[in-house]
Amino acid sequence: MPGLVDLALGTVLPRVATIALLISVGVALADLLVGLGAVRAIAGLSRPLTGPANLPEEVGTAILTTTASTTAGYGMLAEFRESGTLDDRATLVAVTINTFFGFVQHVFTFYAPVLIPILGLEVGLLYVGARAAVALAITCTGVVAGALLLDDRADRAATPTVEADGSGGSGGSDDRPLPVLLRDAVERGLGKTRDVLPRLLVVYAAVALLTARYDLTRVGGAADPLADLIGLPVAAIPVIAVFTLDTTNGALVLAPLVEDGVFTPRTAVATMLVGGVVSFAVSTFKRSIPFQYGIWGAEFGSKVVLVNTALKVFWIAVAVVLLLAWP
């Protein structure tokens, strides 16, 4: 019993308190930045991509909107497709280009305020950088595909810009007064902390107890060949299994193993990327297929899912190889 108390007071509670504080501050700051229009300003970088990709200028508005709301951005692209501004091939190119700008949204809402505090600065920044590179590679693939596969956009008929509800079209900031933005940001930060705190306590306590009593490098005998093939520690197998269920929990499991030296920063990030592929395969059936079918219909939605899945798996595999092979 004294050992459990020491573990709770000396390891679990201080770490969970630190993470909870950083999450609360980070989410509040993220919400404030969104309200002030910072996210939309970043999305303005999408406009120069439509020219090389031979897409109508209107598509830049949809890409901009994706940074603030993926659903709204996809809805705008669906409207362009239905109106004839985009054919199926151009729509697939536009959806592919959207990838990086959809990722930017998650930097503000999840990676910076939640994941980096859990993983620590070095591993967290390396992981977010790797995910950003993957997303950017997919977007660049879309630009190249548009340049090679689409006709010159000058031949495409222009239509009035479609504005999704709440997107504002202009990409401006929230029109609420600053005191209201601050109050709502603080409430959102505290609300997020209340949501995740019970899970943080339970999961991190379980992980701390597990790592204190068992050596995870000895777990998963049958998975040894797989770990050797990928070039990851054997302890990566249970971490990947947790990542399949939940990214935050996977990070919570991994963080103390990095501190204990079981993983280096690069093998930790490679493990999370592999776990992300497995998790993505699961989430495709649970969330992506229903969402894409709802936006596009079954036939074209299947094409969108196939393209998204193939590109994500390919570029994540490239990132893992580079991380593990880099001298």
Side-chain angles (χ1 to χ4, degrees), residues 68 70 93 139 145 148 169 181 185 187 197 223 291 295 298 310 324:
T70 303
V93 168
T139 289
L148 296 176
L181 287 174
E187 289 178 355
L197 189 57
F291 172 75
I295 292 287
L324 298 180

Side-chain angles (χ1 to χ4, degrees), residues 12 14-30 106-128 192-193 196 200 204 247-248 251-256 258-259 272:
V12 177
R15 183 171 182 84
V16 169
T18 300
I19 292 173
L21 176 62
L22 290 172
I23 288 176
S24 182
V25 173
V27 171
L29 180 60
H106 295 298
V107 171
F108 285 89
T109 59
F110 177 66
Y111 291 115
V114 178
L115 211 60
I116 290 178
I118 293 174
L119 294 171
L121 195 60
E122 182 180 7
V123 177
L125 289 179
L126 184 59
Y127 177 68
V128 174
K192 182 67 174 178
T193 302
V196 303
L200 282 173
Y204 196 77
T247 300
T248 305
L252 284 168
V253 171
L254 183 63
V258 176
E259 294 176 358
M272 287 187 287

Side-chain angles (χ1 to χ4, degrees), residues 19-103:
I19 292 173
L21 176 62
L22 290 172
I23 288 176
S24 182
V25 173
V27 171
L29 180 60
D31 192 69
L32 182 62
L33 289 174
V34 171
L36 293 174
V39 174
R40 293 177 185 272
I42 292 174
L45 297 172
S46 68
R47 293 189 180 106
L49 299 177
T50 57
N54 293 323
L55 290 172
E57 291 183 357
E58 296 92 334
V59 175
T61 306
I63 295 174
L64 181 151
T65 304
T66 300
T67 311
S69 170
T70 303
T71 302
Y74 268 74
M76 294 174 70
L77 289 178
E79 191 73 23
F80 287 137
R81 177 172 174 262
E82 291 177 5
S83 68
T85 302
L86 298 175
D87 58 22
D88 284 1
R89 184 179 294 180
T91 303
L92 285 173
V93 168
V95 167
T96 303
I97 292 175
N98 262 359
T99 302
F100 179 75
F101 301 94
F103 170 83

Side-chain angles (χ1 to χ4, degrees), residues 31-38 40 166-168 170-182 184:
D31 192 69
L32 182 62
L33 289 174
V34 171
L36 293 174
R40 293 177 185 272
S167 68
S170 63
S173 60
D174 198 311
D175 58 1
R176 289 175 294 168
L178 182 59
V180 177
L181 287 174
L182 288 170
D184 291 348

